[in-house]
Every structure is written in structure tokens, then in C-alpha cells.
PDB file of all heavy atoms in Angstrom:
ATOM      1  N   SER A 267      -7.586   6.496 -11.267  1.00 40.00           N
ATOM      2  CA  SER A 267      -6.187   6.704 -11.560  1.00 40.00           C
ATOM      3  C   SER A 267      -5.413   5.397 -11.488  1.00 40.00           C
ATOM      4  O   SER A 267      -5.735   4.494 -10.737  1.00 40.00           O
ATOM      5  CB  SER A 267      -5.589   7.706 -10.574  1.00 40.00           C
ATOM      6  OG  SER A 267      -6.300   8.912 -10.600  1.00 40.00           O
ATOM      7  N   HIS A 268      -4.319   5.359 -12.252  1.00 36.00           N
ATOM      8  CA  HIS A 268      -3.393   4.241 -12.190  1.00 36.00           C
ATOM      9  C   HIS A 268      -2.201   4.579 -11.313  1.00 36.00           C
ATOM     10  O   HIS A 268      -1.361   3.734 -11.044  1.00 36.00           O
ATOM     11  CB  HIS A 268      -2.930   3.870 -13.601  1.00 36.00           C
ATOM     12  CG  HIS A 268      -4.069   3.470 -14.498  1.00 36.00           C
ATOM     13  ND1 HIS A 268      -4.786   2.310 -14.307  1.00 36.00           N
ATOM     14  CD2 HIS A 268      -4.632   4.083 -15.569  1.00 36.00           C
ATOM     15  CE1 HIS A 268      -5.733   2.211 -15.238  1.00 36.00           C
ATOM     16  NE2 HIS A 268      -5.660   3.276 -15.999  1.00 36.00           N
ATOM     17  N   HIS A 269      -2.100   5.805 -10.884  1.00 36.00           N
ATOM     18  CA  HIS A 269      -1.030   6.285 -10.012  1.00 36.00           C
ATOM     19  C   HIS A 269      -1.681   7.230  -9.027  1.00 36.00           C
ATOM     20  O   HIS A 269      -2.573   7.988  -9.385  1.00 36.00           O
ATOM     21  CB  HIS A 269       0.030   7.015 -10.857  1.00 36.00           C
ATOM     22  CG  HIS A 269       1.209   7.485 -10.066  1.00 36.00           C
ATOM     23  ND1 HIS A 269       1.162   8.620  -9.295  1.00 36.00           N
ATOM     24  CD2 HIS A 269       2.456   6.979  -9.920  1.00 36.00           C
ATOM     25  CE1 HIS A 269       2.333   8.798  -8.708  1.00 36.00           C
ATOM     26  NE2 HIS A 269       3.137   7.825  -9.072  1.00 36.00           N
ATOM     27  N   PRO A 270      -1.285   7.231  -7.753  1.00 38.00           N
ATOM     28  CA  PRO A 270      -1.981   8.045  -6.761  1.00 38.00           C
ATOM     29  C   PRO A 270      -1.978   9.531  -7.065  1.00 38.00           C
ATOM     30  O   PRO A 270      -2.835  10.262  -6.597  1.00 38.00           O
ATOM     31  CB  PRO A 270      -1.215   7.749  -5.461  1.00 38.00           C
ATOM     32  CG  PRO A 270       0.094   7.156  -5.887  1.00 38.00           C
ATOM     33  CD  PRO A 270      -0.205   6.429  -7.162  1.00 38.00           C
ATOM     34  N   ASN A 271      -1.018  10.002  -7.876  1.00 41.00           N
ATOM     35  CA  ASN A 271      -0.947  11.419  -8.196  1.00 41.00           C
ATOM     36  C   ASN A 271      -1.353  11.704  -9.637  1.00 41.00           C
ATOM     37  O   ASN A 271      -1.045  12.754 -10.179  1.00 41.00           O
ATOM     38  CB  ASN A 271       0.471  11.933  -7.949  1.00 41.00           C
ATOM     39  CG  ASN A 271       0.842  11.860  -6.484  1.00 41.00           C
ATOM     40  OD1 ASN A 271      -0.034  11.941  -5.642  1.00 41.00           O
ATOM     41  ND2 ASN A 271       2.106  11.692  -6.192  1.00 41.00           N
ATOM     42  N   THR A 272      -1.991  10.750 -10.279  1.00 40.00           N
ATOM     43  CA  THR A 272      -2.401  10.914 -11.661  1.00 40.00           C
ATOM     44  C   THR A 272      -3.919  10.889 -11.767  1.00 40.00           C
ATOM     45  O   THR A 272      -4.562   9.997 -11.240  1.00 40.00           O
ATOM     46  CB  THR A 272      -1.832   9.781 -12.550  1.00 40.00           C
ATOM     47  OG1 THR A 272      -0.425   9.750 -12.403  1.00 40.00           O
ATOM     48  CG2 THR A 272      -2.182  10.015 -14.008  1.00 40.00           C
ATOM     49  N   LEU A 273      -4.479  11.881 -12.462  1.00 46.00           N
ATOM     50  CA  LEU A 273      -5.896  11.849 -12.773  1.00 46.00           C
ATOM     51  C   LEU A 273      -6.054  11.028 -14.036  1.00 46.00           C
ATOM     52  O   LEU A 273      -5.400  11.280 -15.047  1.00 46.00           O
ATOM     53  CB  LEU A 273      -6.432  13.268 -12.980  1.00 46.00           C
ATOM     54  CG  LEU A 273      -6.357  14.168 -11.747  1.00 46.00           C
ATOM     55  CD1 LEU A 273      -6.863  15.556 -12.092  1.00 46.00           C
ATOM     56  CD2 LEU A 273      -7.149  13.590 -10.600  1.00 46.00           C
ATOM     57  N   GLY A 274      -6.936  10.058 -14.007  1.00 54.00           N
ATOM     58  CA  GLY A 274      -7.030   9.096 -15.093  1.00 54.00           C
ATOM     59  C   GLY A 274      -7.484   9.710 -16.402  1.00 54.00           C
ATOM     60  O   GLY A 274      -7.894  10.865 -16.477  1.00 54.00           O
ATOM     61  N   SER A 275      -7.426   8.920 -17.450  1.00 53.00           N
ATOM     62  CA  SER A 275      -7.742   9.410 -18.790  1.00 53.00           C
ATOM     63  C   SER A 275      -9.243   9.507 -19.032  1.00 53.00           C
ATOM     64  O   SER A 275      -9.677  10.151 -19.971  1.00 53.00           O
ATOM     65  CB  SER A 275      -7.110   8.489 -19.839  1.00 53.00           C
ATOM     66  OG  SER A 275      -7.614   7.178 -19.711  1.00 53.00           O
ATOM     67  N   SER A 276     -10.049   8.860 -18.207  1.00 71.00           N
ATOM     68  CA  SER A 276     -11.496   8.823 -18.431  1.00 71.00           C
ATOM     69  C   SER A 276     -12.183   9.998 -17.750  1.00 71.00           C
ATOM     70  O   SER A 276     -11.930  10.296 -16.585  1.00 71.00           O
ATOM     71  CB  SER A 276     -12.083   7.511 -17.896  1.00 71.00           C
ATOM     72  OG  SER A 276     -11.522   6.400 -18.559  1.00 71.00           O
ATOM     73  N   VAL A 277     -13.067  10.659 -18.490  1.00 77.00           N
ATOM     74  CA  VAL A 277     -13.830  11.757 -17.925  1.00 77.00           C
ATOM     75  C   VAL A 277     -14.910  11.190 -17.005  1.00 77.00           C
ATOM     76  O   VAL A 277     -15.354  10.049 -17.160  1.00 77.00           O
ATOM     77  CB  VAL A 277     -14.447  12.602 -19.058  1.00 77.00           C
ATOM     78  CG1 VAL A 277     -15.610  11.878 -19.724  1.00 77.00           C
ATOM     79  CG2 VAL A 277     -14.866  13.978 -18.563  1.00 77.00           C
ATOM     80  N   LEU A 278     -15.332  11.976 -16.028  1.00 83.00           N
ATOM     81  CA  LEU A 278     -16.349  11.553 -15.071  1.00 83.00           C
ATOM     82  C   LEU A 278     -17.641  11.173 -15.794  1.00 83.00           C
ATOM     83  O   LEU A 278     -18.085  11.872 -16.704  1.00 83.00           O
ATOM     84  CB  LEU A 278     -16.619  12.693 -14.090  1.00 83.00           C
ATOM     85  CG  LEU A 278     -17.483  12.385 -12.873  1.00 83.00           C
ATOM     86  CD1 LEU A 278     -16.694  11.542 -11.874  1.00 83.00           C
ATOM     87  CD2 LEU A 278     -17.939  13.686 -12.210  1.00 83.00           C
ATOM     88  N   THR A 279     -18.257  10.077 -15.395  1.00 85.00           N
ATOM     89  CA  THR A 279     -19.496   9.628 -16.024  1.00 85.00           C
ATOM     90  C   THR A 279     -20.710  10.003 -15.187  1.00 85.00           C
ATOM     91  O   THR A 279     -20.604  10.299 -13.989  1.00 85.00           O
ATOM     92  CB  THR A 279     -19.495   8.101 -16.218  1.00 85.00           C
ATOM     93  OG1 THR A 279     -19.562   7.469 -14.930  1.00 85.00           O
ATOM     94  CG2 THR A 279     -18.256   7.642 -16.961  1.00 85.00           C
ATOM     95  N   GLU A 280     -21.867   9.961 -15.809  1.00 89.00           N
ATOM     96  CA  GLU A 280     -23.116  10.249 -15.104  1.00 89.00           C
ATOM     97  C   GLU A 280     -23.354   9.241 -13.990  1.00 89.00           C
ATOM     98  O   GLU A 280     -23.829   9.591 -12.908  1.00 89.00           O
ATOM     99  CB  GLU A 280     -24.278  10.233 -16.093  1.00 89.00           C
ATOM    100  CG  GLU A 280     -25.601  10.651 -15.495  1.00 89.00           C
ATOM    101  CD  GLU A 280     -26.706  10.757 -16.516  1.00 89.00           C
ATOM    102  OE1 GLU A 280     -26.532  10.245 -17.644  1.00 89.00           O
ATOM    103  OE2 GLU A 280     -27.755  11.344 -16.181  1.00 89.00           O
ATOM    104  N   GLU A 281     -23.010   7.980 -14.250  1.00 91.00           N
ATOM    105  CA  GLU A 281     -23.212   6.931 -13.250  1.00 91.00           C
ATOM    106  C   GLU A 281     -22.311   7.154 -12.031  1.00 91.00           C
ATOM    107  O   GLU A 281     -22.747   6.953 -10.887  1.00 91.00           O
ATOM    108  CB  GLU A 281     -22.912   5.559 -13.870  1.00 91.00           C
ATOM    109  CG  GLU A 281     -23.921   5.100 -14.912  1.00 91.00           C
ATOM    110  CD  GLU A 281     -23.761   5.820 -16.245  1.00 91.00           C
ATOM    111  OE1 GLU A 281     -22.668   6.395 -16.498  1.00 91.00           O
ATOM    112  OE2 GLU A 281     -24.734   5.829 -17.027  1.00 91.00           O
ATOM    113  N   GLN A 282     -21.075   7.566 -12.263  1.00 91.00           N
ATOM    114  CA  GLN A 282     -20.165   7.833 -11.150  1.00 91.00           C
ATOM    115  C   GLN A 282     -20.676   8.985 -10.296  1.00 91.00           C
ATOM    116  O   GLN A 282     -20.659   8.919  -9.069  1.00 91.00           O
ATOM    117  CB  GLN A 282     -18.767   8.145 -11.689  1.00 91.00           C
ATOM    118  CG  GLN A 282     -18.029   6.942 -12.226  1.00 91.00           C
ATOM    119  CD  GLN A 282     -16.728   7.326 -12.908  1.00 91.00           C
ATOM    120  OE1 GLN A 282     -16.633   8.362 -13.561  1.00 91.00           O
ATOM    121  NE2 GLN A 282     -15.712   6.483 -12.745  1.00 91.00           N
ATOM    122  N   ARG A 283     -21.130  10.053 -10.956  1.00 93.00           N
ATOM    123  CA  ARG A 283     -21.635  11.200 -10.208  1.00 93.00           C
ATOM    124  C   ARG A 283     -22.900  10.851  -9.432  1.00 93.00           C
ATOM    125  O   ARG A 283     -23.093  11.314  -8.298  1.00 93.00           O
ATOM    126  CB  ARG A 283     -21.900  12.383 -11.136  1.00 93.00           C
ATOM    127  CG  ARG A 283     -22.304  13.646 -10.384  1.00 93.00           C
ATOM    128  CD  ARG A 283     -22.523  14.823 -11.306  1.00 93.00           C
ATOM    129  NE  ARG A 283     -23.655  14.602 -12.212  1.00 93.00           N
ATOM    130  CZ  ARG A 283     -24.022  15.464 -13.148  1.00 93.00           C
ATOM    131  NH1 ARG A 283     -23.337  16.579 -13.318  1.00 93.00           N
ATOM    132  NH2 ARG A 283     -25.062  15.210 -13.925  1.00 93.00           N
ATOM    133  N   ALA A 284     -23.759  10.046 -10.010  1.00 94.00           N
ATOM    134  CA  ALA A 284     -25.023   9.695  -9.364  1.00 94.00           C
ATOM    135  C   ALA A 284     -24.813   8.993  -8.031  1.00 94.00           C
ATOM    136  O   ALA A 284     -25.653   9.090  -7.129  1.00 94.00           O
ATOM    137  CB  ALA A 284     -25.858   8.825 -10.295  1.00 94.00           C
ATOM    138  N   LYS A 285     -23.705   8.291  -7.879  1.00 94.00           N
ATOM    139  CA  LYS A 285     -23.417   7.554  -6.649  1.00 94.00           C
ATOM    140  C   LYS A 285     -22.921   8.459  -5.523  1.00 94.00           C
ATOM    141  O   LYS A 285     -22.828   8.029  -4.376  1.00 94.00           O
ATOM    142  CB  LYS A 285     -22.377   6.472  -6.922  1.00 94.00           C
ATOM    143  CG  LYS A 285     -22.857   5.383  -7.863  1.00 94.00           C
ATOM    144  CD  LYS A 285     -21.748   4.384  -8.163  1.00 94.00           C
ATOM    145  CE  LYS A 285     -22.209   3.318  -9.148  1.00 94.00           C
ATOM    146  NZ  LYS A 285     -21.097   2.374  -9.477  1.00 94.00           N
ATOM    147  N   LEU A 286     -22.618   9.717  -5.852  1.00 95.00           N
ATOM    148  CA  LEU A 286     -22.039  10.633  -4.869  1.00 95.00           C
ATOM    149  C   LEU A 286     -23.083  11.603  -4.341  1.00 95.00           C
ATOM    150  O   LEU A 286     -23.841  12.205  -5.112  1.00 95.00           O
ATOM    151  CB  LEU A 286     -20.887  11.422  -5.493  1.00 95.00           C
ATOM    152  CG  LEU A 286     -19.695  10.596  -5.989  1.00 95.00           C
ATOM    153  CD1 LEU A 286     -18.724  11.484  -6.766  1.00 95.00           C
ATOM    154  CD2 LEU A 286     -18.982   9.917  -4.825  1.00 95.00           C
ATOM    155  N   SER A 287     -23.115  11.775  -3.034  1.00 97.00           N
ATOM    156  CA  SER A 287     -23.986  12.777  -2.420  1.00 97.00           C
ATOM    157  C   SER A 287     -23.267  14.132  -2.446  1.00 97.00           C
ATOM    158  O   SER A 287     -22.045  14.199  -2.650  1.00 97.00           O
ATOM    159  CB  SER A 287     -24.288  12.393  -0.968  1.00 97.00           C
ATOM    160  OG  SER A 287     -23.115  12.530  -0.168  1.00 97.00           O
ATOM    161  N   PRO A 288     -23.994  15.232  -2.231  1.00 97.00           N
ATOM    162  CA  PRO A 288     -23.319  16.526  -2.117  1.00 97.00           C
ATOM    163  C   PRO A 288     -22.224  16.530  -1.062  1.00 97.00           C
ATOM    164  O   PRO A 288     -21.154  17.121  -1.266  1.00 97.00           O
ATOM    165  CB  PRO A 288     -24.471  17.474  -1.751  1.00 97.00           C
ATOM    166  CG  PRO A 288     -25.683  16.849  -2.368  1.00 97.00           C
ATOM    167  CD  PRO A 288     -25.468  15.377  -2.205  1.00 97.00           C
ATOM    168  N   GLN A 289     -22.453  15.851   0.070  1.00 97.00           N
ATOM    169  CA  GLN A 289     -21.441  15.797   1.130  1.00 97.00           C
ATOM    170  C   GLN A 289     -20.218  14.997   0.667  1.00 97.00           C
ATOM    171  O   GLN A 289     -19.075  15.362   0.982  1.00 97.00           O
ATOM    172  CB  GLN A 289     -22.020  15.171   2.392  1.00 97.00           C
ATOM    173  CG  GLN A 289     -21.093  15.234   3.609  1.00 97.00           C
ATOM    174  CD  GLN A 289     -20.764  16.653   4.027  1.00 97.00           C
ATOM    175  OE1 GLN A 289     -21.634  17.530   4.031  1.00 97.00           O
ATOM    176  NE2 GLN A 289     -19.511  16.894   4.387  1.00 97.00           N
ATOM    177  N   ASP A 290     -20.444  13.921  -0.095  1.00 96.00           N
ATOM    178  CA  ASP A 290     -19.335  13.150  -0.661  1.00 96.00           C
ATOM    179  C   ASP A 290     -18.453  14.053  -1.531  1.00 96.00           C
ATOM    180  O   ASP A 290     -17.215  13.972  -1.481  1.00 96.00           O
ATOM    181  CB  ASP A 290     -19.847  11.995  -1.527  1.00 96.00           C
ATOM    182  CG  ASP A 290     -20.510  10.892  -0.728  1.00 96.00           C
ATOM    183  OD1 ASP A 290     -20.181  10.727   0.464  1.00 96.00           O
ATOM    184  OD2 ASP A 290     -21.368  10.191  -1.303  1.00 96.00           O
ATOM    185  N   ILE A 291     -19.097  14.882  -2.323  1.00 97.00           N
ATOM    186  CA  ILE A 291     -18.362  15.757  -3.241  1.00 97.00           C
ATOM    187  C   ILE A 291     -17.582  16.809  -2.464  1.00 97.00           C
ATOM    188  O   ILE A 291     -16.432  17.127  -2.806  1.00 97.00           O
ATOM    189  CB  ILE A 291     -19.346  16.398  -4.244  1.00 97.00           C
ATOM    190  CG1 ILE A 291     -19.890  15.309  -5.178  1.00 97.00           C
ATOM    191  CG2 ILE A 291     -18.669  17.508  -5.045  1.00 97.00           C
ATOM    192  CD1 ILE A 291     -21.047  15.741  -6.045  1.00 97.00           C
ATOM    193  N   LEU A 292     -18.174  17.331  -1.398  1.00 97.00           N
ATOM    194  CA  LEU A 292     -17.443  18.272  -0.546  1.00 97.00           C
ATOM    195  C   LEU A 292     -16.190  17.617   0.018  1.00 97.00           C
ATOM    196  O   LEU A 292     -15.102  18.222   0.039  1.00 97.00           O
ATOM    197  CB  LEU A 292     -18.346  18.773   0.574  1.00 97.00           C
ATOM    198  CG  LEU A 292     -17.714  19.750   1.574  1.00 97.00           C
ATOM    199  CD1 LEU A 292     -17.203  21.003   0.876  1.00 97.00           C
ATOM    200  CD2 LEU A 292     -18.714  20.125   2.670  1.00 97.00           C
ATOM    201  N   GLU A 293     -16.320  16.388   0.448  1.00 96.00           N
ATOM    202  CA  GLU A 293     -15.162  15.679   0.997  1.00 96.00           C
ATOM    203  C   GLU A 293     -14.109  15.413  -0.081  1.00 96.00           C
ATOM    204  O   GLU A 293     -12.903  15.457   0.205  1.00 96.00           O
ATOM    205  CB  GLU A 293     -15.606  14.365   1.646  1.00 96.00           C
ATOM    206  CG  GLU A 293     -16.476  14.539   2.876  1.00 96.00           C
ATOM    207  CD  GLU A 293     -15.838  15.439   3.933  1.00 96.00           C
ATOM    208  OE1 GLU A 293     -14.629  15.283   4.193  1.00 96.00           O
ATOM    209  OE2 GLU A 293     -16.550  16.301   4.481  1.00 96.00           O
ATOM    210  N   LEU A 294     -14.545  15.150  -1.316  1.00 95.00           N
ATOM    211  CA  LEU A 294     -13.597  14.978  -2.413  1.00 95.00           C
ATOM    212  C   LEU A 294     -12.806  16.257  -2.659  1.00 95.00           C
ATOM    213  O   LEU A 294     -11.595  16.217  -2.898  1.00 95.00           O
ATOM    214  CB  LEU A 294     -14.334  14.580  -3.689  1.00 95.00           C
ATOM    215  CG  LEU A 294     -14.676  13.111  -3.897  1.00 95.00           C
ATOM    216  CD1 LEU A 294     -15.491  12.942  -5.185  1.00 95.00           C
ATOM    217  CD2 LEU A 294     -13.424  12.259  -3.959  1.00 95.00           C
ATOM    218  N   LEU A 295     -13.489  17.400  -2.599  1.00 97.00           N
ATOM    219  CA  LEU A 295     -12.800  18.670  -2.796  1.00 97.00           C
ATOM    220  C   LEU A 295     -11.802  18.928  -1.667  1.00 97.00           C
ATOM    221  O   LEU A 295     -10.676  19.392  -1.907  1.00 97.00           O
ATOM    222  CB  LEU A 295     -13.806  19.816  -2.885  1.00 97.00           C
ATOM    223  CG  LEU A 295     -14.751  19.815  -4.089  1.00 97.00           C
ATOM    224  CD1 LEU A 295     -15.602  21.078  -4.099  1.00 97.00           C
ATOM    225  CD2 LEU A 295     -13.995  19.674  -5.399  1.00 97.00           C
ATOM    226  N   LYS A 296     -12.201  18.615  -0.447  1.00 97.00           N
ATOM    227  CA  LYS A 296     -11.296  18.797   0.691  1.00 97.00           C
ATOM    228  C   LYS A 296     -10.077  17.883   0.550  1.00 97.00           C
ATOM    229  O   LYS A 296      -8.941  18.302   0.808  1.00 97.00           O
ATOM    230  CB  LYS A 296     -12.032  18.518   2.002  1.00 97.00           C
ATOM    231  CG  LYS A 296     -13.060  19.573   2.368  1.00 97.00           C
ATOM    232  CD  LYS A 296     -13.754  19.229   3.681  1.00 97.00           C
ATOM    233  CE  LYS A 296     -14.749  20.309   4.082  1.00 97.00           C
ATOM    234  NZ  LYS A 296     -15.443  19.983   5.354  1.00 97.00           N
ATOM    235  N   SER A 297     -10.311  16.643   0.137  1.00 95.00           N
ATOM    236  CA  SER A 297      -9.217  15.696  -0.041  1.00 95.00           C
ATOM    237  C   SER A 297      -8.293  16.141  -1.173  1.00 95.00           C
ATOM    238  O   SER A 297      -7.058  16.062  -1.062  1.00 95.00           O
ATOM    239  CB  SER A 297      -9.784  14.308  -0.345  1.00 95.00           C
ATOM    240  OG  SER A 297      -8.750  13.393  -0.626  1.00 95.00           O
ATOM    241  N   GLY A 298      -8.881  16.618  -2.255  1.00 94.00           N
ATOM    242  CA  GLY A 298      -8.085  17.104  -3.373  1.00 94.00           C
ATOM    243  C   GLY A 298      -7.251  18.310  -2.996  1.00 94.00           C
ATOM    244  O   GLY A 298      -6.097  18.449  -3.425  1.00 94.00           O
ATOM    245  N   ASN A 299      -7.822  19.194  -2.181  1.00 96.00           N
ATOM    246  CA  ASN A 299      -7.063  20.354  -1.724  1.00 96.00           C
ATOM    247  C   ASN A 299      -5.900  19.944  -0.831  1.00 96.00           C
ATOM    248  O   ASN A 299      -4.818  20.544  -0.878  1.00 96.00           O
ATOM    249  CB  ASN A 299      -7.988  21.334  -0.990  1.00 96.00           C
ATOM    250  CG  ASN A 299      -7.268  22.587  -0.539  1.00 96.00           C
ATOM    251  OD1 ASN A 299      -7.252  22.915   0.650  1.00 96.00           O
ATOM    252  ND2 ASN A 299      -6.661  23.303  -1.467  1.00 96.00           N
TER     253      ASN A 299
END
């Protein structure tokens, strides 16, 4: 994002997802909530 409350224009890439563990993703969901 270019703004803390803006989701950026780029869709999630395979490389970005590969760097995240299942626990990382759980924490992202908690943070997003």
C-alpha cells in the first residue's frame, strides 16, 4: 500500500505468498480484523 488504509493496486503474487507461513497468514488476518 501507498497509504496505511489503502490496499494497493497489485494483486498478491505467488512469490509473496510463498514467503508466508500458515501462522504468518493467521496473524495477517488478525491484524486486518
Side-chain angles (χ1 to χ4, degrees):
S267 304
H268 300 292
H269 183 281
N271 295 332
T272 304
L273 297 178
S275 60
S276 299
V277 73
L278 190 73
T279 68
E280 186 174 15
E281 291 75 19
Q282 287 173 324
R283 185 178 65 182
K285 295 176 182 178
L286 298 172
S287 70
Q289 187 62 41
D290 290 334
I291 292 169
L292 179 59
E293 294 306 316
L294 277 176
L295 294 185
K296 289 180 178 179
S297 175
N299 182 238

